[in-house]
Amino acid sequence: MSSQILNSINHQKIEHTPIWLMRQAGRYLPEYREIRAKAGSFLNLCKNPELATVVTLQPLKRFDLDAAILFSDILVIPEAMGMELNFVENEGPKFSNKIMTEQDIDNLDLNDMLAKLEYVFAAIKNCKGELNSTPLIGFSGSPFTLACYMIEGGSSKDYVNAKRWLYNNPELSHKLLNKLSDAIIQYLIKQIESGVDIVMLFDSWGGVLSDAAYLEFSLPYLEKILKNIPQVNHLGSKLPRIVFTKGGGLWLNKISAIGADVIGLDWNINIGEARTIVPANIALQGNLDPVLLAIGDRNALKKEVTRILGSYRAANGFNNTGHVFNLGHGVLQITNPDNVAYLVDLVHELSRA
Ligand code: CP3
């Protein structure tokens, strides 16, 4: 059977709507927690290509998913540029030397970065060796989303420090965002050379920006990256590029114009309405609320999946193609894996009918 996800993205005939889930490998899976304990820490796990491969494949062993996503993290780029990264239990990522001055930007080291990230490229090659025909998704954070963590030093509720930079020091902000874009371009080119079939840009925090700030500080850098990475894979076939700005529903017109093949949607927007805004040649990914999957009420889940599939179909000439089912953000840790199995089979079954 040919790849349902690549066919759907390329608007070809599909047998069912393909599905994969952001954070499909992670702490909600007991077998993930076991390997993570063996690795000692999350970062050790990312840096061990053999274990990262095992964890990438875990959800595909359990569920009938249509794609794998490389197990890694968006924050490995700043780490490889010289920032000290730790994942603190229950607190998330922490940089001990956050970006505060222009000198800190100048100190970010692009020269050794790719060599330090060799473990990512090794994991990609390992995964491709194990995956047969299932496509492998590579990814990067967006420049703005990476800058948020680098300036805040970790997760943040309101992004005051990152926004202070944008508003008070736009020139330096652009300097940082340009440097990050160059790093991301090199990183994604190397991921593509190593064998990924699809790439995705996670602009997870773009949606916290004002309209003007998004159009100045996030969108142009997403565009710069898309303009400078290949549109074909290492074998010369078309390589789809997914752009996901969480909270980006307000900017669909503008995101449609930067060269993405797929636009990721969170759960705030109606996918049928999005279909009428986004040009027909661009596929859509999403848009189930992760909380609904975590709660696991089968009736509620079935009702919402039916609604999403129907909304897309009705707006797409009663055809499912061009849709990649996903959550609107990552799988929550409290999710019972049985709910994921139910969802994956449900999406396949309902879209086949
Ligand atoms: O989707 C996948 O299954 C692939 C792996 C993946 C991870 N992180 C694994 C991970 C991907 C694609 C990411 C991307 C990522 N990382 C994003 C963008 C997507 C999003 O969620 O918005 C962001 C913002 C990060 C930064 C990050 N990494 C945070 C804020 C955290 C802590 C949050 C938490 O759940 O504790 C991480 C850690 C992380 N990344 C984990 C996993 C499985 C949990 C680490 C652990 O095992 O303790």
Side-chain angles (χ1 to χ4, degrees):
M1 190 164 73
S2 61
S3 161
Q4 296 297 301
I5 183 168
L6 293 175
N7 283 356
S8 190
I9 293 171
N10 293 325
H11 305 273
Q12 288 161 1
K13 202 170 147 30
I14 49 173
E15 283 151 36
H16 56 74
T17 298
I19 171 169
W20 70 277
L21 304 175
M22 291 187 263
R23 284 282 177 92
Q24 62 190 23
R27 284 172 301 196
Y28 76 104
L29 291 176
E31 61 270 35
Y32 168 82
R33 296 196 296 270
E34 196 178 302
I35 300 285
R36 185 183 180 280
K38 195 166 138 192
S41 74
F42 171 66
L43 214 46
N44 280 352
L45 180 49
C46 292
K47 290 185 176 184
N48 181 319
E50 284 71 37
L51 294 184
T53 303
V54 170
V55 168
T56 301
L57 300 175
Q58 282 175 343
L60 286 104
K61 296 227 160 82
R62 264 187 189 255
F63 316 119
D64 191 17
L65 293 159
D66 294 283
I69 179 161
L70 174 71
F71 186 81
S72 186
D73 197 80
I74 61 167
L75 300 179
V76 298
I77 287 188
E79 206 246 358
M81 292 169 101
M83 294 189 71
E84 278 163 42
L85 175 64
N86 279 296
F87 282 85
V88 183
E89 199 71 46
N90 299 322
E91 277 184 65
K94 293 271 179 264
F95 286 115
S96 43
N97 51 344
K98 53 187 169 185
I99 302 283
M100 297 174 77
T101 63
E102 181 163 21
Q103 188 60 53
D104 295 335
I105 300 176
D106 293 337
N107 288 346
L108 293 170
D109 181 11
L110 271 170
N111 297 319
D112 287 345
M113 184 192 72
L114 287 183
K116 287 192 185 151
L117 290 167
E118 196 45 51
Y119 60 86
V120 173
F121 313 124
I124 290 171
K125 287 173 197 150
N126 271 349
C127 287
K128 282 302 290 177
E130 306 262 335
L131 272 169
N132 300 320
S133 63
T134 306
L136 178 65
I137 302 171
F139 65 88
S140 168
S142 72
F144 172 68
T145 296
L146 293 183
C148 277
Y149 285 98
M150 294 162 77
I151 294 169
E152 297 285 347
S155 303
S156 169
K157 229 169 72 189
D158 41 27
Y159 303 92
V160 170
N161 296 306
K163 288 186 178 183
R164 182 182 289 121
W165 264 66
L166 305 186
Y167 290 128
N168 287 359
N169 223 330
E171 265 171 48
L172 271 193
S173 301
H174 283 299
K175 181 172 175 175
L176 174 60
L177 293 165
N178 267 309
K179 194 162 184 178
L180 284 170
S181 302
D182 293 341
I184 291 164
I185 289 163
Q186 290 183 25
Y187 180 54
L188 288 177
I189 288 174
K190 200 68 205 281
Q191 286 193 28
I192 293 167
E193 286 171 4
S194 304
V196 299
D197 303 286
I198 298 171
V199 296
M200 173 152 165
L201 291 173
F202 284 91
D203 187 25
S204 302
W205 307 129
V208 306
L209 291 172
S210 69
D211 176 64
Y214 180 73
L215 300 182
E216 178 174 355
F217 297 107
S218 191
L219 193 68
Y221 295 99
L222 295 169
E223 181 168 25
K224 177 175 174 179
I225 293 164
L226 293 178
K227 289 239 150 65
N228 286 284
I229 62 170
Q231 306 199 35
V232 291
N233 69 14
H234 69 307
L235 302 171
S237 312
K238 183 173 157 46
L239 176 123
R241 296 105 53 91
I242 308 171
V243 169
F244 172 55
T245 291
K246 183 161 180 294
L250 295 167
W251 299 301
L252 287 178
N253 268 321
K254 282 158 179 152
I255 298 171
S256 296
I258 63 171
D261 303 288
V262 186
I263 296 178
L265 306 175
D266 59 29
W267 58 92
N268 293 127
I269 187 155
N270 178 295
I271 194 168
E273 278 173 34
R275 184 67 287 169
T276 63
I277 296 169
V278 173
N281 62 319
I282 301 175
L284 298 177
Q285 175 173 285
N287 71 328
L288 185 74
D289 184 348
V291 169
L292 202 42
L293 182 63
I295 297 168
D297 178 318
R298 301 267 154 117
N299 287 331
L301 199 51
K302 187 167 184 181
K303 191 170 158 212
E304 178 62 357
V305 170
T306 304
R307 192 197 60 74
I308 291 172
L309 288 170
S311 171
Y312 183 88
R313 236 180 104 75
N316 195 53
F318 294 93
N319 189 326
N320 293 326
T321 197
H323 182 198
V324 175
F325 204 98
N326 205 317
L327 303 178
H329 207 179
V331 178
L332 297 175
Q333 194 184 339
I334 56 166
T335 306
N336 182 330
D338 293 344
N339 302 347
V340 176
Y342 175 76
L343 172 69
V344 171
D345 293 342
L346 183 68
V347 168
H348 286 166
E349 186 191 306
L350 291 176
S351 60
R352 217 179 263 127

